Amino acid sequence: MGTVALAVTDGMLHFELSVAYEVFGSAPAAVAGPWYDVAVCGSDAVRVGRFRVEPDGGLDRLRRADTVIVPALADVDEEPPADLVDAVRAAHEAGARVASLCTGAFVLAAAGLLDGKRATTHWAHTEALADRYPRVEVDPDVLYVDNGSVLTSAGKAAAMDLCLHLVRLDHGSSMANVVARRLVVPPHRAGGQAQFVTTPVPARTGHPLSALLPWVMERLDEPLTVEDLARRAGMSPRNLGRQFRAVTGTTPLQWLLTQRIRHAQELLENSDDTVDAIAAATGMGTATTLRRHFNRTVGVPPDTYRRTFRAGTGAGTRPRTGIGTGIGTA
C-alpha cells in the first residue's frame, strides 16, 4: 500500500485515470488505519481527454512510489513517450508494484516489464500488443492478470476490477467491498472472467431473478439444488438455466458455487471459525469438500488464504491469478 503514483502523459484517457484516483484517493469511512497517499506524476501539465491535468510532481517521483498505475493511452499506434517508459521501468527496478489499466499495457511492454509474462489489454488492441511485443504472452480473454509486481487489465470496467483487486490484496476483501459499495460496482470479478461475460450478479433490479438471488444469498448454508431454485422462482429447471445465462452470464450451479466460495473467503478473513464450521456455513458440507472447491477456484487452500488475507495484511502466498475469487452485488 503506501504511496500510489498515477503516471500521466499527453493523450491518456480520463476514464481510467479517474477510476484509479477515485479508488485510491478517497479513504472509506470504515478505514481505521492509513489509506493510500496518491500523487499524479508527469513531466509537465498534460491533456487527458478534454481536460488539462497539472501533476503533483515529475516522473522521477515514480521511483519513490510503492505502487505505480499507468492509465490508458488513447493512441496505441504511436510508441509511448520515452520519458514515461524509462520512468516506469526505473520505478519497477526500484521495487514498485506496477499496474496498467487498459492500453497502459503498451507502456509496460515498451519498458520490458511484460517480457515472458502473461498480460492483457482492451480486447480491441490485444492483437496489436501481441504483434508489436512478441515476447509478451497476450491473453485477450481475461479481465486482468496479476504477475505479482506487474499487473495488467483489460478496458474500462476491467480497470475498476483491477484497482479493487489491489485494494483487496492490501486491505482484504471486506474493505474492497466497502469501496465497491461506495462506487456502486461489484466488489470482485475474477480476473479470468471473459471480457464479454456480464457480471454474474447484476446491479439492476426488475430482472426475472431479482427476488430469487437475495433469497439464495440468505441461505448459502443450506444444501440448495437447481430444483430448489427453480421451485422458488416458479420456473422449470430448464427455464431457470436460460434466465441465469441471460442475467448472470453463468449457470445456476456455478453462480451458487461462486457465492459459497466468496462467503467462505469473508469468513476466513473475518472470523475465527474452523474450516469445518465454514464448510457448514457455506453449504459445502465438509471441510474436504470446501478445500477441494476452494483450492480449485482460488488456487490456494483455505488455511493459506486465511494467513494471506487475515486482517487485510495482503502478505504471504497470493491466490492464483485469473481464477474466480467470488462475484457479488455492489
Side-chain angles (χ1 to χ4, degrees):
M1 52 191 83
T3 302
V4 174
L6 309 181
V8 298
T9 188
D10 275 331
M12 283 191 162
L13 299 175
H14 66 273
F15 179 85
E16 287 78 4
L17 176 59
S18 300
V19 162
Y21 199 89
E22 182 64 29
V23 170
F24 300 111
S26 301
V31 174
W35 192 242
Y36 301 97
D37 180 17
V38 177
V40 178
C41 303
S43 297
D44 206 341
V46 298
R47 300 295 300 184
V48 178
R50 296 185 177 182
F51 305 98
R52 184 177 185 273
V53 175
E54 191 74 37
D56 300 308
L59 289 173
D60 59 305
R61 289 185 61 174
L62 299 186
R63 284 179 296 184
R64 301 194 296 273
D66 297 295
T67 299
V68 172
I69 306 292
V70 183
L73 299 172
D75 188 356
V76 298
D77 294 329
E78 298 288 336
E79 287 295 320
D83 60 344
L84 175 63
V85 172
D86 291 343
V88 168
R89 184 189 301 115
H92 184 259
E93 290 174 351
R97 176 176 62 181
V98 179
S100 65
L101 308 180
C102 192
T103 51
F106 284 79
V107 177
L108 272 60
L113 303 188
L114 301 181
D115 288 353
K117 293 184 174 67
R118 182 165 157 262
T120 195
T121 187
H122 191 290
W123 62 267
H125 303 292
T126 51
E127 286 188 12
L129 184 64
D131 290 343
R132 191 179 306 172
Y133 303 102
R135 296 184 64 184
V136 180
E137 182 186 342
V138 180
D139 190 339
D141 297 320
V142 295
L143 295 178
Y144 57 83
V145 177
D146 181 349
N147 288 300
S149 64
V150 179
L151 305 91
T152 54
S153 84
K156 302 303 178 186
M160 180 72 77
D161 292 316
L162 179 53
C163 289
L164 289 174
H165 173 67
L166 292 174
V167 173
R168 190 169 186 278
L169 291 175
D170 295 338
H171 293 277
S173 65
S174 295
M175 191 56 62
N177 292 350
V178 171
V179 176
R181 282 194 293 272
R182 176 168 57 84
L183 299 174
V184 197
V185 295
H188 194 82
R189 290 198 295 171
Q193 185 175 324
Q195 294 191 26
F196 294 106
V197 176
T198 56
T199 306
V201 179
R204 65 186 176 88
T205 58
H207 55 77
L209 304 178
S210 58
L212 177 65
L213 300 187
W215 181 85
V216 175
M217 294 296 289
E218 294 175 357
R219 294 165 175 79
L220 291 178
D221 59 326
E222 300 179 11
L224 298 172
T225 65
V226 173
E227 288 71 22
D228 294 330
L229 272 60
R231 189 179 308 111
R232 176 69 185 183
M235 304 177 186
S236 68
R238 178 175 295 183
N239 186 31
L240 180 73
R242 285 196 296 265
Q243 294 295 341
F244 257 87
R245 280 291 185 186
V247 173
T248 73
T250 190
T251 66
L253 281 180
Q254 184 57 52
W255 178 86
L256 182 57
L257 176 61
T258 299
Q259 307 317 307
R260 294 192 195 283
I261 293 296
R262 179 182 166 226
H263 187 35
Q265 289 176 295
E266 293 175 344
L267 292 174
L268 287 166
E269 292 181 25
N270 301 313
S271 79
D272 295 319
D273 294 348
T274 65
V275 174
D276 288 282
I278 292 173
T282 58
M284 294 288 191
T286 67
T288 300
T289 301
L290 173 60
R291 288 191 174 96
R292 182 175 70 251
H293 287 296
F294 197 95
N295 201 11
R296 185 178 63 188
T297 303
V298 181
V300 295
D303 292 332
T304 301
Y305 181 90
R306 170 172 268 167
R307 289 194 300 271
T308 302
F309 290 107
R310 185 71 173 183
T313 61
T317 305
R318 302 199 302 183
R320 183 173 57 218
T321 299
I323 304 299
T325 48
I327 305 166
T329 54

